[in-house]
Amino acid sequence: MLQTIAGFSRARLSAPSTSIVSPATASRIGSVRYKRYSAFDAELDKDTLAVARKWHESFDSSQLPAGSTTYARSSGPGGQHVNKTETKAISVFPVKDILAVIPPILHPSIRMSPYYTAGTDALTFQAQSHRSRTANAEENRKKLVSIINQLYDEKVPAETGSDKHAKYKEVAKRFHDSRLKDKKVKSSKKQSRRGGDE
């Protein structure tokens, strides 16, 4: 029976249709999933990741360079106080000093930071939200630590847990099995063609 809806004809089916996935399609699907789960292994060097993870386990702000900080009059809150004292902190951390204390995997990203100043080849931070110049300088240091941690999170994936390892192996096995099945089907078709030609 045909039913016309909005100018189109549709066939009303008494039972829902079922789609059968061919071995070749299953193999392609398995291939995509296999690559998805193994991407981190293929693209990242395990030794480099191990070095970065070990460094991060003991990382704290004291390991970062002291840099140099200058002060200027602040335009922030504080009333008359900010007009009389130089509380705005401008901290400069040379890239060469930062690279000396962070793992190599983070090196290329340092100069891509929005805080990077090409003229001085350094990361430059400013803070003026506090009435104390010491507090503002410390805020700049916290910004540097935050940037380093952010780069680490972006560049170093978390270690794969046991559950994900199990799923990885399962996907790899399904991918391998589907390829074998696909080969058998193709081989069977070739043999049947040869038998028909004889």
Side-chain angles (χ1 to χ4, degrees):
M1 178 184 288
L2 297 178
Q3 182 182 22
T4 304
I5 301 177
F8 294 94
S9 296
R10 292 182 178 178
R12 296 179 63 186
L13 303 178
S14 57
S17 61
T18 57
S19 59
I20 300 175
V21 179
S22 67
T25 301
S27 177
R28 285 195 298 271
I29 294 174
S31 175
V32 170
R33 290 176 178 171
Y34 176 79
K35 290 176 181 177
R36 183 180 301 162
Y37 279 94
S38 62
F40 68 94
D41 277 337
E43 297 175 1
L44 300 174
D45 180 73
K46 285 180 168 44
D47 292 336
T48 301
L49 291 178
V51 169
R53 287 169 179 150
K54 185 175 181 180
W55 166 85
H56 193 254
E57 287 176 359
S58 59
F59 169 66
D60 65 66
S61 61
S62 65
Q63 299 170 2
L64 294 174
S68 60
T69 300
T70 56
Y71 301 93
R73 290 189 178 182
S74 174
S75 59
Q80 293 294 324
H81 179 77
V82 298
N83 296 322
K84 295 179 180 178
T85 60
E86 296 181 336
T87 57
K88 177 180 179 180
I90 305 169
S91 302
V92 179
F93 301 92
V95 168
K96 63 180 180 60
D97 295 340
I98 298 174
L99 298 185
V101 296
I102 64 174
I105 195 172
L106 305 184
H107 289 191
S109 302
I110 289 294
R111 289 187 173 91
M112 297 174 66
S113 168
Y115 296 99
Y116 176 67
T117 305
T120 57
D121 194 31
L123 298 188
T124 304
F125 303 92
Q126 299 183 20
Q128 59 181 13
S129 59
H130 304 284
R131 293 181 55 147
S132 164
R133 60 164 53 186
T134 303
N136 284 328
E138 184 59 29
E139 183 178 329
N140 285 338
R141 189 164 188 80
K142 288 179 180 178
K143 290 178 182 178
L144 175 62
V145 174
S146 178
I147 287 294
I148 299 299
N149 280 322
Q150 180 183 341
L151 293 179
Y152 177 85
D153 291 339
E154 291 175 354
K155 297 298 180 182
V156 183
E159 289 189 90
T160 306
S162 57
D163 290 340
K164 185 171 277 190
H165 267 304
K167 182 142 191 178
Y168 174 86
K169 290 180 180 179
E170 179 186 348
V171 171
K173 183 178 183 302
R174 287 205 305 266
F175 171 67
H176 178 69
D177 292 345
S178 64
R179 287 189 63 189
L180 288 179
K181 187 175 181 180
D182 189 28
K183 286 182 179 180
K184 288 180 180 179
V185 170
K186 289 180 179 178
S187 177
S188 177
K189 286 182 179 179
K190 286 182 180 179
Q191 290 179 358
S192 63
R193 290 195 194 104
R194 289 172 184 170
D197 293 339
E198 290 177 358

